[in-house]
Amino acid sequence: MGNLHVLNHPLIQHKVSMMRMTSTSTKDFRALAEEISLLMAYEVTRDLPLKEEEIETPICRTKANFVAGRSIGVVPILRAGLGMVNGILTLVPNAKVGHIGLYRDPETHKPVEYYCKLPVDADQRTLIVVDPMLATGGSAVAAIRFLKERGCKDIKLMNLIAAPEGVRAVMAAHPDVDIYVASLDEKLNENAYIVPGLGDAGDRLFGTK
Ligand code: PRP
Ligand code: URA
């Protein structure tokens, strides 16, 4: 069974609170999304496989651990997921990036797929699916299903803010996937927006409203 990890480090909580504020500018909102993603990536990659190699220090030869190659793929759900990619790449610069384009139909709140392009060896990587918001869970459930249909097995989900409804939906559809969130909020409102949340993450990241 996948686990829910709430990464409530004080620095993460402080930055999420700043993202929530209506008065936070697009520029700051974008920077905060990147900074929180970097901090979260530290925990999400905790169980990365290591390989031992012999190295030479100024003192002697020794064995040392390195992250085993070809390990990570980052998969943002377009478009808001893009705001989380650079933070992760700062920590894991050799990660490959795949994109899944989904938008939530404003009437039905159901996800509609419009794009999918993954690294050729995506099925051999640990994939971190990123999206700032996990609301009904429809988008994340669909994105993870697309990855599994393409042979991917080792998948983690990373969100900045989640609603309990979205967490339950992902756990029910994909019990093998661990979910990492910076905040587990209270509920969804009648428009399926997260309460208290931060509003529309895509619009706030890209200044489109
Ligand atoms: C937002 C958000 C998630 C989705 C979450 O995207 O970035 O992808 O809604 O909602 P769900 O859990 O109910 O599916 P949106 O559809 O607004 O598209 P955008 O990223 O292009 O703004
Ligand atoms: N998508 C968002 O951007 N925000 C929400 O609160 C819910 C879905």
Side-chain angles (χ1 to χ4, degrees), residues 80 104 131-136 139 161 187-189 191-204:
R104 214 168 67 142
D131 193 330
M133 310 306 274
L134 179 63
T136 65
S139 306
I161 297 183
K187 59 177 183 186
L188 295 178
N189 69 12
N191 297 316
Y193 271 80
I194 299 176
V195 180
L198 50 69
D200 188 304
D203 283 339
R204 295 199 63 187

Side-chain angles (χ1 to χ4, degrees), residues 35-139:
E35 289 164 14
I36 298 167
S37 303
L38 182 153
L39 293 169
M40 291 180 77
Y42 181 76
E43 201 52 44
V44 176
T45 54
R46 175 170 288 283
D47 56 2
L48 269 186
L50 294 170
K51 64 173 188 306
E52 206 173 58
E53 282 180 21
E54 197 157 285
I55 59 165
E56 197 158 324
T57 78
I59 308 299
C60 66
R61 290 191 73 76
T62 186
K63 290 193 171 132
N65 284 324
F66 293 89
V67 172
R70 258 220 316 203
S71 50
I72 295 275
V74 185
V75 183
I77 301 179
L78 304 180
R79 82 198 141 130
L82 289 174
M84 299 174 69
V85 173
N86 282 346
I88 302 177
L89 292 181
T90 303
L91 273 196
V92 195
N94 287 328
K96 295 282 196 290
V97 182
H99 296 86
I100 293 184
L102 288 175
Y103 69 88
R104 214 168 67 142
D105 183 284
E107 301 289 318
T108 63
H109 307 134
K110 296 259 182 291
V112 182
E113 186 192 4
Y114 60 89
Y115 187 76
C116 184
K117 182 82 180 170
L118 300 175
V120 284
D121 57 357
D123 57 343
Q124 292 160 51
R125 291 176 180 266
T126 297
L127 298 182
I128 307 174
V129 177
V130 295
D131 193 330
M133 310 306 274
L134 179 63
T136 65
S139 306

